[in-house]
Amino acid sequence: MLDLSHMPVIDNHCHPVLLNQQMDALQFRSYFTEATDASFPEKHVRNSIYYTWFLRQAAKFYGCAAREEEILAVRNSIDADALLERLLEAAHIDTLILDPAYPLSDQCYTPDRMSELGHCHTAKMLRLETLMQQFILAHDDFDDLLEHYSTELSNIRERGYCAFKSIVAYRTGLNIEQWSKDEAVASFAEARVSAIRSGRLRIAHKPLLDYLLRIAFHKAAEQQLPVQFHTGYGDSDTDMRLGNPLHLRDVLEQPEYRSMQVVLLHESYPYCQLGAYLAAIYPHVYFDLSYTIPFVDKLEMLAFTRQALGVAPASKLMFSTDGIDVPEMHWVGAMRGRSIIGQVLDELIDADEIDQEQAYHLAQFILRDTARTVYRL
Ligand SMILES: [Zn+2]
């Protein structure tokens, strides 16, 4: 058996955890579903394979029975700093690459504090849509907006970020098109009107969003910076048809974007084979294997890990958890990821595809080395 339990991991996509970790069962459960309807934490989460398995792992960690109320009683008796410290240490993490744009920063541990408590490194990515929203609200002139936006996307490593991230799949889809400046200006005017009316902005104006994204891609290419794209499974309001990574073809084919690395997040679930295929074909495409979110069971995780390793080189694959809100997610995803990758590599040894030593090297790429290279850590 390939034992990867001591291999430190780079979690190439996750989020900060909440400062307030005191919570009741309904709140805790609500973090274990992507559905927003209240019926899920009330009735359904407890009946998911993922959550049932998760409670058993948590019970072992907290030394109590695998009953939700007992687990919550133990975790609520530990202060948030200590909880974070114990879980991240047990996860044996080298680096967390955080998207600090969500949850809101005033409710969360800062990356620096997570690093201190977790005895690990942290790095940050810059979420493009959040930045766009701030800039659209702050500027009434489009050229003004473009100037400030472009400046903000320059010298990005010196500003403390190692990647951009886009959630366009959750807004207007991965079919990012070419729009004229006039079309973008008209779309900007519409966005401003709705923003002024409601006092806030959720950018879902396709010509504007696509136009601003293409500027960001030029900036990323210039700086040889990776851009993470949410693909497949995600927020409940996403149009899953447009979360298929094959929609990125136009962007992937653009010669001027070739020096921007594209990271397809969440194993593009359920478009796993398609996403892994893109990583196998395009030199600048990488495929993220996420072992907490989406909340799928072990059999499904084995399946996507097999599909990814079946077609794409391990030097194109990267581990993550997408952990968010509660530190158990970062911990359990690291444990689960190592064990599933180990099991699939064991199967490949049994099938006489690779030997033990090769398996170990491939695991190192997925758990750490691919990310280290791509994000220049
Ligand atoms: Zn995420």
Side-chain angles (χ1 to χ4, degrees):
M1 282 288 282
L2 200 61
D3 180 14
L4 306 174
S5 59
H6 295 290
M7 196 178 276
V9 297
I10 295 178
D11 185 343
N12 101 100
H13 178 91
C14 58
H15 299 258
V17 303
L18 300 170
L19 287 165
N20 183 1
Q21 290 293 330
Q22 297 286 316
M23 55 189 80
D24 62 17
L26 272 186
Q27 186 188 346
F28 191 70
R29 274 182 228 150
S30 74
Y31 299 132
F32 290 85
T33 173
E34 294 285 304
T36 45
D37 191 90
S39 65
F40 284 86
E42 279 163 17
K43 294 186 203 153
H44 304 303
V45 168
R46 277 175 303 170
N47 302 313
S48 70
I49 303 291
Y50 184 89
Y51 195 65
T52 309
W53 169 82
F54 168 79
L55 290 180
R56 288 216 320 278
Q57 310 315 304
K60 278 183 233 160
F61 186 81
Y62 292 121
C64 64
R67 278 198 300 276
E68 191 187 48
E69 60 275 19
E70 289 196 37
I71 293 162
L72 286 170
V74 178
R75 83 184 293 284
N76 282 341
S77 73
I78 304 170
D79 83 31
D81 284 7
L83 196 67
L84 184 60
E85 183 163 27
R86 280 173 58 182
L87 285 157
L88 289 186
E89 271 212 293
H92 205 22
I93 286 163
D94 173 306
T95 304
L96 298 171
I97 304 184
L98 295 159
D99 172 6
Y102 192 76
L104 296 177
S105 58
D106 58 348
Q107 299 163 8
C108 287
Y109 280 93
T110 61
D112 285 346
R113 189 69 181 136
M114 286 188 68
S115 175
E116 251 168 54
L117 288 168
H119 307 282
C120 61
H121 303 285
T122 51
K124 289 185 298 180
M125 66 193 87
L126 179 65
R127 192 193 274 232
L128 294 167
E129 287 78 7
T130 309
L131 186 72
M132 290 174 193
Q133 286 168 181
Q134 289 163 0
F135 278 68
I136 294 164
L137 284 169
H139 299 275
D140 54 11
D141 177 75
F142 191 63
D143 286 318
D144 234 27
L145 160 77
L146 292 187
E147 192 190 318
H148 286 96
Y149 175 68
S150 301
T151 309
E152 197 73 13
L153 300 179
S154 308
N155 304 317
I156 210 69
R157 289 192 183 87
E158 290 86 283
R159 302 162 97 98
Y161 296 99
C162 67
F164 291 155
K165 171 193 171 178
S166 172
I167 55 160
V168 68
Y170 296 168
R171 297 297 173 84
T172 53
L174 292 171
N175 55 333
I176 302 157
E177 291 166 31
Q178 304 262 16
W179 300 90
S180 69
K181 189 171 174 189
D182 286 349
E183 289 167 318
V185 170
S187 184
F188 168 68
E190 277 173 35
R192 286 278 302 172
V193 168
S194 74
I196 289 163
R197 201 185 300 130
S198 63
R200 57 182 290 276
L201 177 63
R202 183 182 181 278
I203 188 174
H205 308 75
K206 189 166 175 59
L208 177 61
L209 181 45
D210 289 355
Y211 192 87
L212 293 176
L213 275 179
R214 285 180 180 272
I215 293 175
F217 299 160
H218 276 286
K219 287 297 196 180
E222 228 171 71
Q223 300 169 78
Q224 299 178 6
L225 197 74
V227 181
Q228 298 189 350
F229 287 89
H230 268 289
T231 57
Y233 198 127
D235 292 3
S236 57
D237 58 352
T238 185
D239 181 344
M240 273 286 276
R241 292 168 294 189
L242 298 175
N244 182 334
L246 295 185
H247 281 297
L248 283 170
R249 175 176 164 80
D250 187 45
V251 169
L252 301 181
E253 286 288 326
Q254 294 272 321
E256 62 268 37
Y257 302 154
R258 284 284 169 130
S259 54
M260 142 182 124
Q261 300 97 321
V262 170
V263 181
L264 307 175
L265 293 177
H266 305 328
E267 56 271 351
S268 306
Y269 189 88
Y271 304 111
C272 311
Q273 284 179 316
L274 306 180
Y277 157 80
L278 292 174
I281 295 301
Y282 288 97
H284 57 315
V285 174
Y286 294 82
F287 194 59
D288 163 60
L289 297 170
S290 178
Y291 290 95
T292 297
I293 299 174
F295 302 110
V296 296
D297 78 349
K298 179 178 184 175
L299 302 182
E300 201 64 354
M301 288 188 183
L302 285 168
F304 72 62
T305 305
R306 289 185 190 114
Q307 286 171 346
L309 269 166
V311 61
S315 45
K316 296 302 232 66
L317 304 176
M318 285 189 268
F319 159 86
S320 79
T321 64
D322 201 18
I324 183 165
D325 299 314
V326 294
E328 282 92 341
M329 287 199 193
H330 302 72
W331 161 72
V332 89
M335 316 292 280
R336 179 87 129 179
R338 287 190 194 93
S339 112
I340 299 235
I341 291 163
Q343 184 172 333
V344 171
L345 289 168
D346 268 333
E347 291 170 4
L348 292 167
I349 295 170
D350 288 344
D352 199 23
E353 295 282 87
I354 50 174
D355 64 27
Q356 186 91 13
E357 200 186 320
Q358 289 161 333
Y360 199 78
H361 281 303
L362 299 181
Q364 242 165 356
F365 272 121
I366 305 171
L367 291 171
R368 201 180 53 199
D369 294 351
T370 306
R372 180 162 284 163
T373 310
V374 169
Y375 299 98
R376 300 197 194 168
L377 299 173

